[in-house]
Amino acid sequence: MTELVNGKGLSLVPKTDVKQSLKDFKSDQEVRWCPGCGDYAILAAVQSFLPELGLKRENIVFVSGIGCSSRFPYYLNTYGFHSIHGRAPAIATGLAASRPDLSVWVITGDGDALSIGGNHLIHALRRNVNLNILLFNNRIYGLTKGQYSPTSELGKITKSTPMGSLDKPFNPISLAIGAEASFVARTIDSDRKHLQSVLREATAHRGTSLVEIYQNCNIFNDNAFEPLKDPEVRDDITLRLEHGQPIVSASKAVVRGASGGIEVVPRDSVSEDQILVHDAHNPDPSVAFALSRLDEPAFEHVPIGIFRNVDRPSYDSLMADQLEEAVAQQGPGDLGDLLMGGDTWRIA
């Protein structure tokens, strides 16, 4: 816990001396999702994780957009903001940049973040504002009753695509790495231990963390991620990404290909020293991007874990330095003088 609380991502957030528990982070609101929804598992994981941070609840804020996942702030006994469609990263950016004493979280979905919110998401990632983005990906529009989303697979038959979707889907991890995000990870709703371990690393990171969470919508897209949950096949297709460890599943391994790229081969066909060792801290994003493409086509082999975790200056820290420099050079300034300055006119 000490290591997490002293992480760079939380260094300016006030701590509490009061021991906290899961109950402290449960609100008095009735949780209203469809029975069996993966959101319940994610909520329980987050509620039981937050006490580890040792932060004052009034210094934790959850900002959401629109969608099933965006009800999240109602169910946490922290500050929260249920904002508008796709704009949660923009609102969270303003909050995190102006209040470095807050732990700021964005809760969004694949439809909210990657359709109308696409530009807001990529600019939050490239700016590297100190906030955590949890992107619930169920590959469907759930709240509006089952239309295809930006992550739905090609040929997906839904109410809005009765003959099958013609759109090639977004890969959220590839998108984030392409936007030079400093922390990018993927986990799954049903694996609480792994989900919380990723949250631990994301929270300690200084800058924007994007965590894609595979989340089941049992009403409109049930079993979309079943291969990753099926005990008979999940260990064979899940490639665990752990920094400094070989990238393998029970039966497969990732190696450098003859052309210089990476490929997946049977594990027993190569020696241990041929297997690619994961380097999440590599400043060159090319390998992390290549890893994000390994699940094409879906679920033959799926990387799960932290793809990228690199240090670079956060936007809010750089902005604070600029403000400090401006005050040192020009003084603290006066709002009244600014409003009545040389670029304003008085109309009689």
Side-chain angles (χ1 to χ4, degrees):
M1 176 174 169
T2 302
E3 182 180 351
L4 179 60
V5 168
N6 291 332
K8 292 181 289 184
L10 300 172
S11 59
L12 301 177
V13 184
K15 314 301 185 293
T16 180
D17 296 326
V18 179
K19 185 175 181 179
Q20 298 170 327
S21 69
L22 179 150
K23 290 183 179 179
D24 293 310
F25 289 93
K26 284 187 174 182
S27 76
D28 60 357
Q29 299 296 300
E30 178 188 359
V31 181
R32 300 181 65 185
W33 287 311
C34 301
C37 175
D39 287 356
Y40 285 97
I42 302 172
L43 176 64
V46 171
Q47 287 173 329
S48 60
F49 162 75
L50 287 174
E52 288 187 32
L53 300 180
L55 303 177
K56 292 183 178 181
R57 285 179 297 161
E58 59 267 32
N59 290 86
I60 303 174
V61 184
F62 282 80
V63 182
S64 66
I66 296 296
C68 296
S69 64
S70 294
R71 296 190 61 80
F72 219 79
Y74 293 102
Y75 308 138
L76 290 164
N77 193 16
T78 64
Y79 277 105
F81 195 135
H82 191 174
S83 70
I84 55 180
H85 207 189
R87 272 66 176 186
I91 292 168
T93 292
L95 191 60
S98 61
R99 290 288 303 274
D101 61 324
L102 299 180
S103 175
V104 181
W105 299 70
V106 170
I107 305 295
T108 186
D110 50 301
D112 183 56
L114 299 173
S115 55
I116 193 171
N119 266 343
H120 295 287
L121 177 67
I122 62 173
H123 290 299
L125 295 172
R126 78 176 177 89
R127 288 184 178 119
N128 202 36
V129 186
N130 190 39
L131 51 85
N132 307 297
I133 302 174
L134 306 187
L135 194 162
F136 297 20
N137 183 6
N138 55 25
R139 295 183 169 179
I140 202 76
Y141 275 108
L143 188 66
T144 51
K145 307 299 184 284
Q147 296 84 9
Y148 82 110
S149 85
T151 56
S152 294
E153 61 270 26
L154 192 66
K156 181 74 171 180
I157 295 175
T158 71
K159 293 176 181 178
S160 57
T161 53
M163 297 180 67
S165 169
L166 301 175
D167 291 347
K168 182 172 174 58
F170 269 134
N171 180 321
I173 300 296
S174 299
L175 181 73
I177 295 171
E180 295 283 357
S182 57
F183 185 102
V184 185
R186 175 189 287 146
T187 185
I188 190 165
D189 58 3
S190 58
D191 190 344
R192 178 183 292 198
K193 182 178 179 181
H194 187 264
L195 196 162
Q196 290 184 332
S197 71
V198 170
L199 294 181
R200 218 165 271 125
E201 295 291 333
T203 310
H205 177 75
R206 181 75 186 176
T208 302
S209 66
L210 178 97
V211 179
E212 179 190 26
I213 306 174
Y214 282 159
Q215 175 258 325
N216 192 48
C217 174
N218 59 313
I219 303 299
F220 297 109
N221 201 24
D222 197 21
N223 296 324
F225 307 108
E226 188 59 25
L228 292 172
K229 303 181 181 187
D230 184 347
E232 294 187 4
V233 299
R234 67 187 179 194
D235 292 338
D236 286 322
I237 66 174
T238 303
L239 296 166
R240 297 285 179 179
L241 299 180
E242 299 178 16
H243 178 71
Q245 297 298 316
I247 305 175
V248 296
S249 69
S251 62
K252 300 173 183 177
V254 177
V255 299
R256 288 281 187 183
S259 62
I262 62 174
E263 58 185 44
V264 180
V265 299
R267 188 170 178 175
D268 59 8
S269 69
V270 293
S271 60
E272 288 295 317
D273 60 355
Q274 291 178 288
I275 300 173
L276 184 66
V277 174
H278 185 45
D279 182 5
H281 305 320
N282 187 348
D284 180 358
S286 59
V287 176
F289 186 86
L291 287 169
S292 75
R293 311 304 296 174
L294 288 181
D295 56 350
E296 308 281 344
F299 302 131
E300 289 187 3
H301 25 258
V302 182
I304 294 287
I306 298 171
F307 289 75
R308 193 165 195 244
N309 183 3
V310 298
D311 285 331
R312 64 181 177 91
S314 65
Y315 181 91
D316 41 305
S317 298
L318 295 172
M319 188 183 78
D321 291 343
Q322 275 195 346
L323 291 173
E324 186 177 331
E325 182 181 353
V327 170
Q329 293 178 354
Q330 304 175 40
D334 181 272
L335 181 60
D337 290 344
L338 178 64
L339 293 176
M340 301 302 293
D343 292 330
T344 61
W345 295 266
R346 184 185 297 274
I347 300 175

